[in-house]
Amino acid sequence: MFSQHVTEKLSAYCHGELADEESRLVAEHMIGCPRCRREFEEIKLGVKFAELLPSASAPATLWNEIESALSEDRRSRNASPTHRSRRLYFGWKPLAGFAGLVLVVGGIWFIASQRKSVNQIATTGDQPGVTQPVEVVRDQTKPVDREVLGSPSPATQSNKPVEISPTTNSPDATWDVARLEGAPTLGANKLEGNGRLAVGEWLETDSSSRAQINVANIGHVNIEPNSRVQLVGTNSREHRLAMTQGRLHAMISAPPRLFIVETPSAVAIDLGCSYTLEVDKIGRSILHVTSGWVELESKGRESIVPAGAECITQPGKGPGTPYFDDASGKFRDALTQLDFHNGGARALAVILAESRADDTLTLWHLLSRTRGPDRSRVYDRMAALVAPPTGVTRDGVLRLDKGMLGLWKTGLEAAWYQ
């Protein structure tokens, strides 16, 4: 694995220009390097914006004006020596002014034409070369900015894809599937050995069958009995499954946000990890992370779940508050009441009384999910368990200052993994 940052390789990695082994090393480095992950996310965003812009030609009149300016400059160079020497000293100003004017006018024209094109794509539906209308689905009622949550990855996904540009599947958009036990169903056929899962196709297991899916070249997912999953889409920047019920175990080695699993109650966004996700018949789910981090999100509500922690989701309410799996039974019961059954102040009192230093994972999330006196009580309990670092103040945390929350979270992680 690279011991230094890999920023100079990120553009080539994003465009698939690295050799397989070097690409794997870059991916593994980013799992443990927040700085390189942030830069990679910026590169990906730039690529998506570039894909959104249709190609356009400059108007012929713009080039004619430039040619006229160049002709005038050539005539000036053929003037008398005395006049030419003065033009060499003073003559750049008119030409530079004109060039600047050309650039400004051209820039205004280009931006206006792109804005018009983007609006046409967004309002008129499918266009040539575009898979679907452009749709930005960020929930405007979201109470807390993504940076407040401070996960290892700065971008955000909602219950629908938060994509600036539509997802275009690879030409060979299929994944290898292997039967592990019994007779899983792949599409309309029984899987007797190996097969290929196509985009839009379902893989189902009964009570006695299991299967393994290779997620492109970034890992694999084991599908347990009584499960139903669909390949939603796959390309170089995103691989997406949907699971309506059952249990899967994902083992992914890739940069954050490449692998996503949709469920009826939330979206699980891989941040480079291994995890188990179980969905029951009414759409409730429980996520348990064994390495790395996973983000759960639905309609602007987000939970960042690290290794050793779990999180429950419910349809209509999205993800609950994450907790470590060795938290006390009273703590977990009270958290369920607070998240999904309007437990209120009584449930919060039990959570605070049962909290350990590890449980500041839960309390840190509760800062943005409580208000007024309740938020003050959460802060006071956190500060008693793990003192806030220099630069983090009570007033700043209570007003959800993003920088202070992120700084305190960095310090808390040492307590979570001591």
Side-chain angles (χ1 to χ4, degrees):
M1 184 177 294
F2 294 103
S3 59
Q4 297 180 344
H5 295 297
V6 295
T7 51
E8 74 281 0
K9 300 179 183 291
L10 294 180
S11 179
Y13 176 84
C14 184
H15 291 89
E17 298 170 356
L18 298 179
D20 290 345
E21 178 64 15
E22 189 173 25
S23 178
R24 182 185 65 81
L25 292 175
V26 170
E28 290 179 354
H29 173 85
M30 282 193 286
I31 292 174
C33 180
R35 172 179 165 182
C36 289
R37 282 200 303 268
R38 285 194 297 269
E39 296 204 21
F40 180 68
E41 290 294 332
E42 292 173 1
I43 291 173
K44 285 173 60 180
L45 183 61
V47 170
K48 290 180 180 180
F49 273 119
E51 289 176 348
L52 178 62
L53 297 176
S55 59
S57 301
T61 55
L62 185 64
W63 180 245
N64 291 337
E65 291 170 351
I66 294 174
E67 285 186 326
S68 297
L70 293 174
S71 298
E72 175 64 25
D73 185 57
R74 283 193 293 270
R75 285 194 296 270
S76 299
R77 292 176 183 273
N78 294 326
S80 64
T82 301
H83 182 64
R84 184 164 58 249
S85 65
R86 294 180 64 190
R87 293 288 291 181
L88 287 173
Y89 187 76
F90 297 106
W92 63 271
K93 292 184 178 180
L95 185 60
F98 178 77
L101 178 61
V102 168
L103 289 174
V104 170
V105 172
I108 293 173
W109 167 83
F110 179 77
I111 292 171
S113 67
Q114 302 309 314
R115 180 176 297 173
K116 179 179 179 182
S117 299
V118 170
N119 290 338
Q120 288 174 342
I121 296 173
T123 57
T124 62
D126 293 350
Q127 300 292 323
V130 178
T131 305
Q132 60 186 27
V134 174
E135 181 181 17
V136 178
V137 295
R138 168 63 55 212
D139 189 334
Q140 299 301 319
T141 63
K142 177 180 174 183
V144 183
D145 188 275
R146 182 68 186 81
E147 295 177 18
V148 172
L149 288 174
S151 79
S153 176
T156 303
Q157 302 271 357
S158 72
N159 203 23
K160 292 181 180 180
V162 181
E163 290 290 344
I164 302 301
S165 62
T167 299
T168 302
N169 294 314
S170 302
D172 55 343
T174 60
W175 291 352
D176 289 325
V177 181
R179 181 185 67 85
L180 298 180
E181 290 183 40
T185 300
L186 180 59
N189 303 312
K190 291 293 184 180
L191 182 63
E192 297 180 356
N194 297 330
R196 303 284 293 181
L197 180 65
V199 171
E201 200 167 38
W202 290 90
L203 173 66
E204 298 185 56
T205 57
D206 57 23
S207 60
S208 60
S209 61
R210 297 170 58 244
Q212 183 177 95
I213 302 173
N214 286 335
V215 182
N217 60 349
I218 64 172
H220 64 272
V221 177
N222 287 349
I223 307 301
E224 301 299 325
N226 297 315
S227 300
R228 189 168 189 262
V229 298
Q230 180 191 45
L231 177 54
V232 176
T234 180
N235 59 46
S236 62
R237 292 182 298 279
E238 180 182 286
H239 307 291
R240 186 178 288 254
L241 281 177
M243 181 166 67
T244 57
Q245 71 173 55
R247 189 170 185 265
L248 63 76
H249 181 61
M251 289 149 283
I252 304 297
S253 177
R257 315 190 74 79
L258 271 183
F259 180 60
I260 298 170
V261 178
E262 301 175 356
T263 77
S265 53
V267 172
I269 304 167
D270 174 89
L271 303 178
C273 60
S274 174
Y275 67 88
T276 298
L277 181 62
E278 188 168 357
V279 180
D280 68 15
K281 292 182 179 180
I282 64 173
R284 294 176 301 194
S285 69
I286 182 167
L287 168 76
H288 178 77
V289 180
T290 51
S291 69
W293 301 71
V294 175
E295 176 186 324
L296 286 173
E297 185 175 10
S298 177
K299 299 179 180 178
R301 184 176 174 91
E302 299 165 341
S303 292
I304 309 303
V305 190
E310 300 178 348
C311 191
I312 297 171
T313 71
Q314 286 198 11
K317 295 190 176 181
T321 309
Y323 57 89
F324 281 109
D325 54 16
D326 61 352
S328 72
K330 289 182 179 180
F331 182 94
R332 288 179 288 173
D333 290 344
L335 190 59
T336 299
Q337 291 297 316
L338 184 69
D339 284 337
F340 304 119
H341 303 294
N342 301 315
R346 179 177 298 180
L348 181 60
V350 174
I351 292 169
L352 298 180
E354 292 287 320
S355 293
R356 314 156 298 164
D358 288 358
D359 297 321
T360 51
L361 166 68
T362 301
L363 301 185
W364 187 85
H365 280 80
L366 288 178
L367 283 170
S368 61
R369 299 180 181 186
T370 53
R371 298 181 179 182
D374 285 346
R375 183 179 295 167
S376 297
R377 286 193 286 271
V378 172
Y379 171 87
D380 292 340
R381 181 56 176 160
M382 286 181 65
L385 293 168
V386 180
T390 302
V392 176
T393 66
R394 189 177 194 275
D395 288 343
V397 171
L398 293 183
R399 68 172 182 269
L400 300 180
D401 179 275
K402 293 183 291 187
M404 291 188 186
L405 287 174
L407 182 60
W408 200 2
K409 178 177 177 288
T410 300
L412 291 171
E413 289 175 358
W416 300 346
Y417 296 107
Q418 187 172 7

